[in-house]
Amino acid sequence: MTVTENYSFFDSVTRSFDKAARFTSWDPGILEQIKACNSVYKMKFPVRIGNNVEVIEAYRVQHSHHKTPCKGGIRFSMEVNQDEVMALAALMTYKCAIVNVPFGGGKGGIKIDPKKYTAFELEKITRRYTSELIKKNFIGPGTDVPAPDYGTGAREMAWILDTYVAMHPSEVDAAACVTGKPVSQGGVRGRTEATGLGVFYGIREVCNMPDRMAKLGLNTGIEGKTVVVQGLGNVGYHCAKYFREHGAKVIAIAEWEGAIYNCEGLNEEEVFQHRKAKGTILNFPKSKNLAVNTDALELECDILIPAALENVINGQNAPRVKAKIIGEAANGPLTPEADEIFIAKGILVVPDMYLNAGGVTVSYFEWLKNLSHVRYGRLEKRFTENMNKHIIGQIEELTGKDVDAKEKLFIEHGADEIDLVHSGLEETMVNATREIMEVWKSNPEIPDMRTAAYVSAINKVATSYAELGIFP
Ligand code: NAD
C-alpha cells in the first residue's frame, strides 16, 4: 500500500476500503467499526545498553476483535510509527479474512535499527517488549499472537516464547503465543517457502481460469508461460523455483545491482549460487545482463512478479510494462497511479493483500499445531501407508501385474507434516482466488481484483459482526 505526500499509510488503507465498501450494502455503522483500530498500545520502556539507559518506543495494535486472537508480525525498524503499525494491522484483518484464517488483524513494532545492537542487546529489548505486552494482556494464545516481520525472524520469536513461558509456567498452550518459531521450539515445517509457494498457487489458479486467460489472450495453465521475477530473496527465490518446476520459463531475474535475461529460462538455484560466489547476479553464464534492474519490469512476458520492495511500479514506468499478469508478491509494489494505468490497459493485477498470505496461513497451521500438541501427520502417517500397501497388494493380486516401483512408492507414502502444510496452503490459496473472482464476476462495476479482494474481506468481517448480534 502506498503512502503519498497528501495522506498517511492508514488513510491510504482507509481509502482503498471506502472504494470497495461502495460495492457492498452494509450499514455505515458496521463499515465504521470494521475500519477502526480497536486497541492501540504505545509504550516506552528503558533498556540498559552498555553504560547507558535507552528509552525504547514500541507499539502493538489490535485492529479487529471480530475474531480472536489477533495476528500480525512485529517489525524492528527506525521507520516504525503509530500510523504505520495501525495500517499494517488493518491490512492483516483483511488479509486473514480473505484467506479464511480465523484471526483479527494485529501488528507490532519497535522503533530501533536492529543492525546497531548486539544479539544480547536485541534479546534484552525483545524480552522487555514481551513483558510489556504480557502486563497489558496484549499477547497470548487466545488474545494476540505475534509473528516475524521486517527485521525479525525465528530467533526473536524464540525469545518471545521463552519470556511468555517464564511468566506463564503452567499454561499448557503457551507455545501458541507466537508463530514463526524454530521447529525445535514448536514451529511448523514449510514456513520458509510458504509465501513464495502461496504466490505460485494463487497465480496458477488464475491461469487455470479459461475466461480470464481468454481476456488476456493467453492459454490456460502455467506450462510454457514466461515469468520475470524481481528480487531473489526468500519470496522471489521460492516463486521462481515453483514456476520453473511446473513448466514455466523464468526468463529474467532482477536484483538491486542489475538483472539477467535468458529467453530459454533461468534456474533460480544456479543464479543464487552464482550471486553468492561472485557477489552479483550479473554475468551469469548464457544470459544477457540488463544493467538497470528496473528494465526487467518492462520486459515482454506473461507474468511479472515483483518480490522485492514497495512502489517499484508507479505512474512513470507503468505505461511501459508489457506483462499480461502482475502477481504482487511483495507488499505494495504498485502505486495507485500504476493500478489505474493497468486497469485501463487490461493488465490483470493479482493483489498482495491475498497473494502473499502464505506466511500467515502457515502461521495459522503452526498455532493449530501448538494447541493440539502433536506434529501434523504423526497419528495417521503409518496407518495410511499400511492401508495403501494393502490396496496395492490387492490390485497386483487381482490383475496379476506389478505396479511400477516408482508409482508404488508415491502411492504408498503417508503424509508428513510438510505434505499437509503444503496441501493446506494450496487449498487456502485456491479457495481464496475463486472467492475473489466470484465477487468480481458478480458485479461488473468492480474495477479490479484488488477492489474485489477488499469487497470479499469486508463481506466476511461484516458478516462476522452481524452474526455476533452486535449489529442486529
Ligand atoms: P528478502 O529480504 O529475503 O528479499 C528481498 C530481495 O529483494 C533481496 O534479495 C534484495 O537484495 C532484493 N532487492 C532489494 N532491492 C531491490 C531492487 N531495487 N531491485 C531488485 N531487487 C531488490 O525479503 P522477502 O522476505 O523475500 O520479502 C520480499 C517482499 O515480500 C517484501 O515486500 C515483504 O514485505 C513481502 N512479504 C514477505 C513475506 C515473507 O514471508 N517473507 C510475507 C509477505 C510479504
Side-chain angles (χ1 to χ4, degrees):
M1 197 55 55
T2 311
V3 193
T4 76
E5 285 167 15
N6 304 324
Y7 46 93
S8 75
F9 190 3
F10 187 67
D11 289 342
S12 136
V13 175
T14 303
R15 278 169 177 243
S16 302
F17 180 99
D18 289 340
K19 188 176 155 194
R22 294 203 319 266
F23 300 103
T24 73
S25 51
W26 293 101
D27 181 286
I30 291 197
L31 295 171
E32 277 309 305
Q33 169 58 32
I34 297 173
K35 267 193 288 187
C37 276
N38 292 177
S39 311
V40 179
Y41 178 20
K42 176 179 181 179
M43 66 201 95
K44 293 212 175 191
F45 52 80
V47 177
R48 180 169 289 282
I49 304 291
N51 293 325
N52 302 316
V53 172
E54 271 188 34
V55 178
I56 308 279
E57 181 178 320
Y59 300 85
R60 184 73 192 171
V61 171
Q62 297 174 349
H63 172 258
S64 177
H65 294 144
H66 76 290
K67 300 243 187 250
T68 48
C70 292
K71 187 92 193 77
I74 291 176
R75 57 174 58 181
F76 288 0
S77 157
M78 285 307 288
E79 311 304 316
V80 163
N81 60 64
Q82 185 172 320
D83 182 85
E84 181 191 75
V85 185
M86 284 168 62
L88 293 167
L91 287 173
M92 282 304 294
T93 295
Y94 309 135
K95 182 177 278 198
C96 288
I98 292 170
V99 292
N100 298 314
V101 164
F103 295 145
K107 204 78 181 186
I110 306 186
K111 191 178 161 82
I112 52 167
D113 176 358
K115 289 194 283 301
K116 282 197 183 155
Y117 298 92
T118 63
F120 175 65
E121 290 162 351
L122 284 174
E123 181 175 348
K124 278 215 285 190
I125 294 169
T126 309
R127 286 182 180 276
R128 179 61 197 249
Y129 174 72
T130 310
S131 42
E132 294 296 325
L133 296 180
I134 294 169
K135 277 195 250 172
K136 293 280 190 292
N137 202 21
F138 263 72
I139 184 171
T143 49
D144 193 346
V145 180
D149 194 69
Y150 192 82
T152 59
R155 176 183 70 169
E156 286 73 16
M157 302 307 112
W159 292 333
I160 291 174
L161 171 67
D162 193 52
T163 309
Y164 187 86
V165 170
M167 293 168 90
H168 300 81
S170 55
E171 192 172 314
V172 68
D173 291 331
C177 77
V178 62
T179 61
K181 305 178 289 289
V183 172
S184 65
Q185 305 294 315
V188 74
R189 290 160 186 84
R191 174 64 186 87
T192 310
E193 66 275 27
T195 304
L197 181 56
V199 169
F200 168 75
Y201 286 143
I203 298 287
R204 186 193 64 184
E205 190 56 22
V206 169
C207 290
N208 282 341
M209 296 177 169
D211 53 336
R212 287 285 154 206
M213 290 303 101
K215 273 190 195 158
L216 296 168
L218 292 171
N219 291 331
T220 310
I222 284 289
E223 184 94 31
K225 293 240 173 355
T226 52
V227 182
V228 171
V229 177
Q230 184 196 38
L232 195 61
N234 175 294
V235 178
Y237 173 91
H238 287 104
C239 280
K241 171 179 151 71
Y242 292 110
F243 275 109
R244 178 184 57 74
E245 286 180 356
H246 288 82
K249 272 196 225 169
V250 181
I251 58 167
I253 298 179
E255 259 294 336
W256 60 267
E257 69 272 16
I260 51 171
Y261 172 84
N262 180 343
C263 63
E264 296 306 318
L266 297 157
N267 177 306
E268 73 298 327
E269 177 57 24
E270 289 170 11
V271 175
F272 180 80
Q273 291 305 336
H274 166 85
R275 187 168 187 245
K276 208 167 141 190
K278 310 275 183 204
T280 173
I281 200 169
L282 297 171
N283 305 322
F284 182 70
K286 292 195 224 146
S287 67
K288 190 177 140 198
N289 288 339
L290 305 176
V292 183
N293 69 65
T294 45
D295 283 356
L297 301 171
E298 298 169 23
L299 287 169
E300 194 91 49
C301 65
D302 298 323
I303 303 167
L304 172 61
I305 304 283
L309 306 170
E310 60 283 350
N311 300 345
V312 290
I313 305 178
N314 44 49
Q316 259 93 56
N317 59 359
R320 297 192 296 272
V321 169
K322 297 174 203 72
K324 308 261 184 5
I325 300 170
I326 300 175
E328 290 189 307
N331 279 317
L334 271 58
T335 66
E337 293 75 23
D339 263 347
E340 294 307 321
I341 292 166
F342 294 143
I343 290 171
K345 284 173 80 174
I347 291 175
L348 176 65
V349 175
V350 186
D352 50 357
M353 215 208 322
Y354 105 95
L355 191 65
N356 66 26
V360 68
T361 304
V362 173
S363 277
Y364 169 47
F365 300 156
E366 179 176 335
W367 182 77
L368 291 173
K369 173 186 180 179
N370 296 149
L371 294 181
S372 65
H373 300 264
V374 64
R375 169 173 52 80
Y376 287 108
R378 179 171 172 181
L379 299 186
E380 64 272 39
K381 181 179 164 66
R382 185 69 51 167
F383 179 82
T384 310
E385 287 182 354
N386 288 342
M387 285 299 284
N388 291 347
K389 274 186 191 147
H390 184 76
I391 293 168
I392 289 177
Q394 286 292 302
I395 292 171
E396 287 182 335
E397 204 178 303
L398 290 170
T399 60
K401 287 182 188 162
D402 284 348
V403 173
D404 172 75
K406 203 170 148 205
E407 282 299 316
K408 200 185 259 188
L409 270 182
F410 179 74
I411 297 167
E412 281 177 2
H413 174 76
D416 288 311
E417 180 161 272
I418 191 84
D419 302 315
L420 293 167
V421 165
H422 284 180
S423 145
L425 177 60
E426 181 175 7
E427 172 72 2
T428 303
M429 294 307 296
V430 166
N431 280 345
T433 310
R434 288 182 187 169
E435 283 179 6
I436 296 169
M437 287 302 193
E438 281 306 311
V439 168
W440 198 6
K441 265 192 210 159
S442 71
N443 187 343
E445 301 283 302
I446 294 177
D448 56 1
M449 198 175 168
R450 191 187 311 284
T451 310
Y454 263 97
V455 172
S456 169
I458 293 169
N459 285 339
K460 289 181 190 178
V461 182
T463 304
S464 180
Y465 275 120
E467 283 172 357
L468 280 173
I470 295 173
F471 295 97

